[in-house]
Amino acid sequence: MVEKFLSRTVFTSQEDYIRNFRIRVPADFNFAYDVVDAYAAEEPDKKALLWTDDRGGEIQFTFADMKRETDRTASYFQSLGIGRGDMVMLILKRRYEFWFSILALHKLGAVAIPATHLLTRKDVVYRCNMAGVKAIVAAVIWSVITAAMPEITDHITAAMPESPTTKLLISVGPEIPEGFLDFHEGIRRAAPFVRPQHANDNDDIMLMYFTSGTTGEPKMVAHYSLIIFSRTLFY
């Protein structure tokens, strides 16, 4: 895969490397299309994601699986009006639906905001208003202490009256709280995905993180498409 983006991958000396190492930067790099879907075309049966839960359940996804599921997720998000430049917060802990969602958002040119499940109501309000979050995709994560309350979705619901930009709440389960759409039902019914003519430019923001806020409120940190490209090559 890396050969697509480098002039050469084998060098005879340091001098040879200095003279001849060149990076081919795609015009509009998109990790979902240029890496994940490319692997699906070249090595469809190659393992892409191995997922287990705390009950011993296991699911294995090939690159062909990932293309299919991320296409369906992108189509579902499209049907909800999510598109290029829209901010979508993902509160999915380590669920495999995180990867369906983040890659689907890349395919649409939308901005993914990964967030911890430890957010409270005020944290959700702050992030929604600072970033202009349009949608939140979350998992119902039960409290270890009470074993009775789906905490993060309760905090999200409580935050909505103070989060005017947030129009869509989507749950990946295992329950669908009131006011949330059903992620899995949505992708099950999704129409065939139609790739946008121009999903993104290299200087588009594709990821947005909030810092820890150790000495104040968390700050937004943007990751542009070219930053993701450099990480693809060197990390």
Side-chain angles (χ1 to χ4, degrees):
M1 177 63 66
V2 73
E3 290 83 0
K4 291 172 51 178
F5 306 118
L6 299 178
S7 58
R8 286 169 56 184
T9 58
V10 177
F11 303 91
T12 59
S13 66
Q14 180 73 8
E15 291 73 22
D16 182 24
Y17 175 83
I18 292 170
R19 281 197 309 270
N20 297 303
F21 179 77
R22 298 289 183 274
I23 298 173
R24 300 191 189 105
V25 181
D28 304 304
F29 178 75
N30 186 294
F31 181 80
Y33 294 125
D34 295 327
V35 177
V36 177
D37 283 6
Y39 267 122
E42 295 174 14
E43 300 183 74
D45 297 327
K46 183 181 178 69
K47 294 290 189 295
L49 176 64
L50 309 180
W51 180 86
T52 61
D53 63 19
D54 55 3
R55 299 180 182 87
E58 180 180 300
I59 307 176
Q60 297 190 7
F61 298 97
T62 64
F63 277 97
D65 295 330
M66 293 301 292
K67 174 173 171 48
R68 182 188 66 249
E69 297 304 324
T70 58
D71 278 356
R72 293 204 304 167
T73 304
S75 177
Y76 175 50
F77 287 167
Q78 266 184 331
S79 74
L80 298 175
I82 296 171
R84 184 176 178 178
D86 287 333
M87 301 281 181
V88 180
M89 188 153 60
L90 305 177
I91 310 177
L92 295 171
K93 209 172 182 183
R94 294 180 178 85
R95 292 183 62 113
Y96 61 82
E97 293 95 343
F98 172 82
W99 291 103
F100 291 179
S101 298
I102 195 170
L103 291 171
L105 294 173
H106 285 342
K107 288 184 173 185
L108 298 175
V111 182
I113 306 175
T116 174
H117 65 287
L118 299 176
L119 300 182
T120 64
R121 181 199 62 79
K122 68 178 181 61
D123 300 321
V124 175
V125 169
Y126 175 78
R127 284 159 174 76
C128 286
N129 286 296
M130 285 295 292
V133 169
K134 182 174 184 175
I136 300 175
V137 186
V140 176
I141 301 168
W142 295 89
S143 167
V144 174
I145 298 172
T146 65
M149 291 295 290
E151 290 191 339
I152 187 57
T153 47
D154 283 352
H155 291 316
I156 293 169
T157 299
M160 288 304 96
E162 299 175 67
S163 308
T165 67
T166 308
K167 307 300 183 184
L168 298 163
L169 303 179
I170 306 165
S171 172
V172 304
E175 296 182 1
I176 313 301
E178 184 176 353
F180 283 73
L181 301 173
D182 186 332
F183 176 91
H184 287 284
E185 181 66 14
I187 66 170
R188 187 181 70 82
R189 294 176 175 272
F193 177 54
V194 178
R195 177 174 175 171
Q197 275 195 318
H198 191 73
N200 65 282
D201 293 320
N202 280 341
D203 58 357
D204 282 352
I205 298 172
M206 302 298 283
L207 284 170
M208 182 79 78
Y209 287 93
F210 280 81
T211 64
S212 62
T214 305
T215 58
E217 294 288 3
K219 308 299 189 294
M220 293 187 294
V221 179
H223 289 233
Y224 295 84
S225 180
L226 272 183
I227 295 175
I228 298 172
F229 172 67
S230 67
R231 289 187 169 188
T232 300
L233 285 183
F234 300 114
Y235 293 92

